[in-house]
Amino acid sequence: MEFDIRDKSTYSITTMRIMKGIAASSGIVIGKVFLYATQSLKAPRYIISDGDITQESIRFKDALSRAKEDLFALKKKTERDHVGKDLDILDTHIMMIQDPDFEDKILDGIESRLMNAECIIEDTIQLMISSLEQSQDEYLRERTMDLYDIQSRLLHQLMYIERASLTDISEEVVLVANNLLPSEVLTMNKKFIKGIVLDTGGKTSHTAILARAFEIPAVIGLSSVSQKVANSDMMIVDGNHGKVILRPNRQTIDEYKSFLEQWELHEAEMLSFNDLSARTLDGRRVELKANIEIPEEVESSVSHGAEGVGLYRSEFLFMRPGEHASEDEQFHEYSRVMKGMKDHGPVTIRTIDVGGDKMIPGLEDFDEENPILGWRAVRFCLSRPDIFKIQLRAMFRASVYGKLRIMFPMISGIEELDQVIEIVEEVKRECRRDGIAFDDRIELGSMIEVPSAALIADIIAKKVDFLSIGTNDLIQYTIAVDRGNEKIAYLYEPLHPGVLRMVKMIIDKGHEAGVPVGMCGEMAADPFYTVVLLGLGLDEFSMSPAAIPEVKRIIRSVSMDDAKALVSVIIGMDSYHDINSYVRNWMNERFEVFNYE
């Protein structure tokens, strides 16, 4: 955004302030603040008589019908305005608002409590939100925003209050708010909103996911930024480092204008790699794939040169309140991803990875002292074949739209893998019996994220078509460090000698069995580790779409001889401090690191 730094109304009215938050979407923007103060509706509360039940129920049903119409109209508009973007969030809201169980709860509440519809809606949804907020899983907690969105939509209809809109913004601004509902992000004028800054939210919130999908720089989780700015304040948003600078002085503005020029040149250079293969200087070819959570990220995967999806987390379909996603609902979502990636590579869907600290609404009725080591992932699937088989069936139906791979999380032993494969074969027989078309060549893979699986990777590899290393869990289990515990976060070290040796062992055992080995954990997305992983022999890197170009640039700039030589040195070192230092010096000697801090 262009601005005149001589105009003192745009800067330094008060002291410059720097705030750190969560880097939700990469990029840099310098612009004027548009402070969005949302109207938080409080439901009126009053008692009704027995004779008013029918009329109050009709009032609720009418509001529900109008809310549905609004959602369908919004979906039609977004499909028209954003061709190619799978805006699945609206489908999630439509499914929630059409859920007959939800409607019955409201109608039953009106009748049993003799309270008005607004009161019953607010109380019912708040109970659902409370249930989600008790989860230890960040992704599940952040689905509460979808419930707030539904509550707001229904209350506005019942109270005949027009919802605030971000569609009319007509100049380039940085949008600052306490929070944004997913529907507000979908309807805002993305041509003029150049940055997003929020008090709340996390990296897996729908707002963050949409910001990345729309490639709008965003910093969130700043606690109180919306209370510290005014409209037209100057602001710098650094989505690369999670930094926001309020009312920057002239020197800082000039510095960031230079940083912005560098970033734009860097991005242009990175995107120039999209149509090139990830091939080392001496011809070693590896595959770079995308990690995605919802279909919105397919377009970003393609635009950043992904050669398929290496990890499609399917949990989002099971996180909404009410009934679990039906077979048809799952088929619809899987199909959208398969169609979007059809000409760009295979799609690897990880079977439902919940349980433990990722609770499905309605299944929180058990207590575990150590949920991280408890009833989760494939263990949950094997104990609930009813849910597991429906998911597999939906996947098989979607396989006709492209090349599908299915991956099983947290396999700890061959017995679990044998049981899973048997259920897969059983579902295949049922599909053939029912005349359901599917690709009979679907590849099956096992995640290696448990030390016991790593130690028998050669045995597991004989029964599957590929292995995928989940470093997020593998590191925490190997070093015995809770990656969510900030007190011991310093111990979570990907270059720990034990981790390096375990990764090398997995790759070697996979290759001995003749199967490719990939990695879908965060280690694969960090350019700092790229050459090390190359030297260890990794075949496939899977990461967030935006990370692909940088990793590809590094791969294309080194030879396998160099990568192997690096690994041969560090694999014999005793200390991860020494390994980190050696790798950092090695990388700095060979690459221009884009870092302006």
Side-chain angles (χ1 to χ4, degrees):
M1 176 180 177
E2 292 298 323
F3 56 90
D4 185 352
I5 63 173
R6 295 170 298 179
D7 177 2
K8 292 187 178 181
S9 67
T10 63
Y11 72 94
S12 199
I13 295 174
T14 59
T15 306
M16 182 177 78
R17 180 166 187 169
I18 300 174
M19 301 180 71
K20 289 285 287 183
I22 297 169
S25 182
S26 62
I28 304 167
V29 64
I30 306 171
K32 293 181 181 179
V33 165
F34 178 85
L35 185 59
Y36 181 57
T38 56
Q39 181 181 9
S40 180
L41 292 184
K42 186 67 178 174
R45 294 174 172 268
Y46 52 86
I47 297 172
I48 63 174
S49 66
D50 287 337
D52 294 330
I53 292 175
T54 299
Q55 184 57 40
E56 195 66 17
S57 298
I58 291 172
R59 197 167 74 88
F60 162 66
K61 289 180 179 179
D62 287 345
L64 190 66
S65 178
R66 293 194 300 272
K68 290 176 186 177
E69 291 174 4
D70 281 354
L71 280 170
F72 280 113
L74 178 56
K75 181 182 177 183
K76 185 175 181 180
K77 179 181 184 301
T78 53
E79 286 175 342
R80 183 179 67 246
D81 293 348
H82 309 290
V83 177
K85 291 189 187 300
D86 293 319
L87 300 177
D88 177 75
I89 291 168
L90 287 178
D91 286 329
T92 300
H93 290 188
I94 289 169
M95 286 190 291
M96 291 167 71
I97 210 165
Q98 287 184 324
D99 186 350
D101 286 347
F102 173 72
E103 182 175 348
D104 289 345
K105 284 180 181 178
I106 305 301
L107 293 174
D108 290 346
I110 292 171
E111 182 175 0
S112 62
R113 293 177 56 191
L114 292 177
M115 295 292 292
N116 60 304
E118 294 94 333
C119 166
I120 300 301
I121 289 170
E122 185 176 73
D123 289 351
T124 301
I125 290 181
Q126 287 304 313
L127 280 174
M128 294 179 178
I129 289 172
S130 296
S131 176
L132 291 181
E133 286 178 338
Q134 291 173 10
S135 171
Q136 297 179 44
D137 181 56
E138 179 185 13
Y139 182 87
L140 184 52
R141 289 197 306 271
E142 288 170 358
R143 298 289 71 78
T144 61
M145 287 309 300
D146 297 299
L147 288 168
Y148 279 119
D149 206 324
I150 295 299
Q151 175 178 299
S152 174
R153 189 172 294 279
L154 287 172
L155 291 183
H156 276 85
Q157 289 290 348
L158 282 163
M159 299 165 71
Y160 291 95
I161 297 174
E162 187 174 349
R163 283 165 63 100
S165 174
L166 294 170
T167 59
D168 299 328
I169 292 176
S170 57
E171 64 173 331
E172 293 184 347
V173 296
V174 173
L175 178 61
V176 179
N178 173 257
N179 209 339
L180 288 176
L181 297 174
S183 61
E184 291 172 326
V185 182
L186 290 173
T187 56
M188 70 185 188
N189 191 336
K190 283 161 279 296
K191 178 181 178 181
F192 292 110
I193 293 177
K194 298 302 182 182
I196 296 174
V197 174
L198 303 178
D199 294 338
T200 59
K203 289 200 77 165
T204 57
S205 67
H206 273 157
T207 298
I209 291 169
L210 287 171
R212 291 193 291 272
F214 297 136
E215 299 185 8
I216 299 174
V219 178
I220 59 181
L222 287 156
S223 299
S224 58
V225 64
S226 66
Q227 300 171 29
K228 295 178 171 62
V229 297
N231 278 315
S232 295
D233 273 351
M234 190 57 63
M235 175 179 281
I236 297 172
V237 181
D238 181 350
N240 301 324
H241 299 97
K243 181 191 294 184
V244 167
I245 304 176
L246 313 181
R247 297 174 288 274
N249 57 33
R250 291 182 182 182
Q251 180 182 350
T252 303
I253 288 174
D254 288 341
E255 288 176 352
Y256 263 86
K257 288 181 75 173
S258 176
F259 296 154
L260 180 55
E261 290 176 2
Q262 293 177 50
W263 172 252
E264 289 173 345
L265 289 172
H266 174 76
E267 283 294 277
E269 180 189 358
M270 290 303 97
L271 292 177
S272 70
F273 287 93
N274 280 3
D275 296 328
L276 302 175
S277 61
R279 190 182 302 273
T280 63
L281 292 174
D282 48 357
R284 168 82 159 96
R285 178 79 160 84
V286 296
E287 293 185 341
L288 302 186
K289 297 180 179 178
N291 291 347
I292 68 171
E293 302 205 27
I294 59 175
E296 281 88 338
E297 294 176 283
V298 167
E299 184 172 345
S300 178
S301 301
V302 172
S303 68
H304 285 91
E307 301 173 282
V309 172
L311 171 61
Y312 175 20
R313 301 177 177 95
S314 61
E315 289 78 53
F316 83 99
L317 285 166
F318 299 84
M319 298 303 189
R320 64 185 179 88
E323 293 298 314
H324 311 313
S326 68
E327 179 183 322
D328 286 342
E329 290 168 346
Q330 293 185 59
F331 163 69
H332 176 67
E333 302 310 320
Y334 302 149
S335 297
R336 295 173 77 170
V337 174
M338 297 295 295
K339 291 174 184 177
M341 294 300 299
K342 185 173 182 179
D343 298 323
H344 303 283
V347 173
T348 306
I349 304 179
R350 182 178 69 187
T351 55
I352 179 173
D353 186 6
V354 295
D357 60 345
K358 297 179 184 176
M359 293 316 306
I360 296 179
L363 289 177
E364 306 94 335
D365 57 341
F366 53 86
D367 183 30
E368 294 187 294
E369 290 186 6
N370 196 339
I372 300 299
L373 301 178
W375 187 44
R376 54 174 299 201
V378 74
R379 302 168 183 179
F380 168 83
C381 291
L382 290 174
S383 65
R384 290 298 304 268
D386 53 329
I387 295 175
F388 188 36
K389 289 176 70 174
I390 287 173
Q391 183 181 34
L392 290 172
R393 190 177 173 102
M395 289 181 186
F396 290 152
R397 290 171 58 190
S399 68
V400 298
Y401 295 111
K403 181 173 174 55
L404 172 67
R405 304 196 307 174
I406 299 176
M407 181 165 68
F408 308 110
M410 206 180 175
I411 294 290
S412 61
I414 203 67
E415 294 80 9
E416 286 175 330
L417 184 59
D418 284 341
Q419 292 178 62
V420 166
I421 293 174
E422 176 53 38
I423 293 176
V424 168
E425 292 302 319
E426 183 181 339
V427 174
K428 283 185 178 180
R429 290 192 293 269
E430 292 173 356
C431 287
R432 294 189 188 100
R433 180 197 65 200
D434 297 338
I436 294 173
F438 66 94
D439 182 1
D440 203 22
R441 299 164 299 171
I442 296 172
E443 294 183 352
L444 303 181
S446 172
M447 289 193 71
I448 305 295
E449 49 191 339
V450 178
S452 62
L455 291 167
I456 61 167
D458 54 333
I459 300 174
I460 292 175
K462 294 175 183 177
K463 292 180 173 285
V464 294
D465 300 295
F466 64 95
L467 300 177
S468 185
I469 304 172
T471 51
N472 298 359
D473 272 338
L474 183 64
I475 293 171
Q476 97 168 331
Y477 290 138
T478 300
I479 307 177
V481 54
D482 178 0
R483 55 192 167 103
N485 187 335
E486 60 184 21
K487 295 178 181 178
I488 54 174
Y490 69 94
L491 291 173
Y492 188 84
E493 178 49 63
L495 292 185
H496 188 290
V499 174
L500 282 180
R501 295 182 185 192
M502 187 160 286
V503 170
K504 184 179 187 303
M505 179 180 64
I506 296 166
I507 294 172
D508 289 347
K509 288 181 180 294
H511 289 172
E512 289 169 8
V515 303
V517 182
M519 180 180 290
C520 58
E522 290 302 313
M523 189 177 180
D526 193 328
F528 181 64
Y529 305 120
T530 300
V531 180
V532 172
L533 295 174
L534 268 178
L536 290 170
L538 194 68
D539 303 299
E540 175 187 305
F541 296 66
S542 191
M543 64 200 73
S544 62
I548 291 173
E550 182 73 65
V551 170
K552 185 183 292 185
R553 178 178 76 100
I554 291 175
I555 290 171
R556 291 180 59 85
S557 303
V558 299
S559 69
M560 280 303 296
D561 286 342
D562 288 340
K564 289 178 180 177
L566 171 63
V567 168
S568 69
V569 173
I570 64 174
I571 204 72
M573 290 184 172
D574 300 331
S575 163
Y576 67 78
H577 290 297
D578 293 341
I579 296 174
N580 260 314
S581 178
Y582 189 89
V583 173
R584 189 166 302 281
N585 290 335
W586 195 97
M587 293 292 288
N588 284 336
E589 287 175 3
R590 290 161 177 79
F591 298 99
E592 178 185 350
V593 180
F594 185 76
N595 186 358
Y596 46 84
E597 286 197 317

